[in-house]
Amino acid sequence: LAREWKWSRIHFGRIDVDKDRDMSKRWVESNMVPTNVMYKFGRPVEVKPKDFEVIRDKYQGNPDGQKWMLTKYMGEDAEGSNLHYATVLPSMKKHSKFLKNNQVAIIGYFKKEGDREHKVYLEAIWKLFQDDNVDKDDIGAGVGSVFAQSVLKQVSTKPPSIVLYLDGKVMPLDGYKAMPERWTVQAVVDFIKQYNVLSFIETQHASGEL
């Protein structure tokens, strides 16, 4: 899970209780390992016993169960949108609402979750948020991901692709460079930056239009 969610807003750490006994004693009891502990604002998150049973019985302790628990306890909505730099849009209703709520939107469309292009996209979006010139919590544009077949069948773009929207309408590619056939992190970053959407938002704020 730590590898799969490497480019999320969650920070993962690991303590080897054999190599670092002093550190491990500060955080867990010796009879509790192996285990995972979630922290929010520096404090452990208390998990209901029945949810440990769900992890064990429904998910057999696999990563999907860890995703479920993190989303339930750390997420602010059903999708845990606040845990990710790119919001997952699992339905056309969510897709439409996302475009309505974000004057500028960046959405990546993929054949399936976790495919090569999706991973490259997530890392590139993470990189955009690390830029010194942007707000680490809000780059001025809504960022989303789509891999649900029900949505892909209803949109006009074919995966893998990245589409930028302004006021719910596709920003034309005229005059801009298209994505190369083989995606790289830098190619995705450059593709998005060439639209100057972040500068557009800053201009709107400065003029009082937003």
Side-chain angles (χ1 to χ4, degrees):
L1 177 60
R3 286 193 297 269
E4 193 172 338
W5 279 19
K6 182 177 181 179
W7 309 113
S8 71
R9 294 181 184 272
I10 298 175
H11 298 274
F12 293 90
R14 181 176 64 181
I15 297 176
D16 188 320
V17 297
D18 293 321
K19 293 182 179 179
D20 198 339
R21 295 181 182 277
D22 291 336
M23 175 66 79
S24 64
K25 288 178 181 178
R26 291 179 56 190
W27 303 106
V28 294
E29 298 292 335
S30 59
N31 62 341
M32 290 175 59
V33 294
T35 188
N36 294 320
V37 181
M38 296 180 289
Y39 292 89
K40 192 171 185 178
F41 303 121
R43 297 182 178 180
V45 176
E46 186 175 347
V47 177
K48 296 177 181 179
K50 67 177 183 179
D51 287 333
F52 283 117
E53 295 177 7
V54 172
I55 290 285
R56 181 194 65 201
D57 300 335
K58 181 178 180 180
Y59 295 101
Q60 287 79 52
N62 65 36
D64 285 338
Q66 300 300 324
K67 291 180 186 178
W68 171 80
M69 183 170 285
L70 280 168
T71 301
K72 178 175 181 177
Y73 283 91
M74 311 288 269
E76 295 176 354
D77 57 25
E79 285 75 40
S81 301
N82 59 303
L83 305 181
H84 306 277
Y85 289 103
T87 300
V88 176
L89 307 173
S91 66
M92 275 307 296
K93 183 178 180 179
K94 295 277 187 180
H95 185 274
S96 299
K97 186 176 180 180
F98 186 79
L99 292 180
K100 183 178 180 179
N101 291 342
N102 293 280
Q103 183 182 22
V104 177
I106 303 165
I107 301 180
Y109 298 89
F110 308 96
K111 294 179 180 179
K112 63 180 181 178
E113 181 180 11
D115 65 14
R116 183 185 178 282
E117 289 79 10
H118 185 216
K119 291 178 179 178
V120 169
Y121 175 76
L122 293 180
E123 183 176 352
I125 295 301
W126 175 87
K127 189 174 181 179
L128 281 173
F129 273 89
Q130 311 313 307
D131 194 298
D132 292 335
N133 298 318
V134 302
D135 185 325
K136 297 298 185 292
D137 295 318
D138 182 7
I139 62 172
V143 183
S145 293
V146 170
F147 37 78
Q149 293 300 313
S150 60
V151 180
L152 292 173
K153 290 177 181 178
Q154 297 183 64
V155 296
S156 57
T157 185
K158 293 183 179 180
S161 60
I162 301 171
V163 181
L164 279 77
Y165 297 86
L166 177 60
D167 294 326
K169 297 180 180 179
V170 176
M171 296 177 70
L173 190 59
D174 299 344
Y176 296 108
K177 292 183 179 179
M179 281 292 298
E181 184 175 346
R182 182 172 177 78
W183 289 24
T184 65
V185 171
Q186 192 59 51
V188 173
V189 170
D190 292 342
F191 176 79
I192 293 173
K193 281 190 170 182
Q194 71 178 336
Y195 281 87
N196 292 318
V197 290
L198 306 187
S199 298
F200 169 81
I201 287 293
E202 291 171 0
T203 301
Q204 296 294 296
H205 277 295
S207 65
E209 294 182 37
L210 286 180

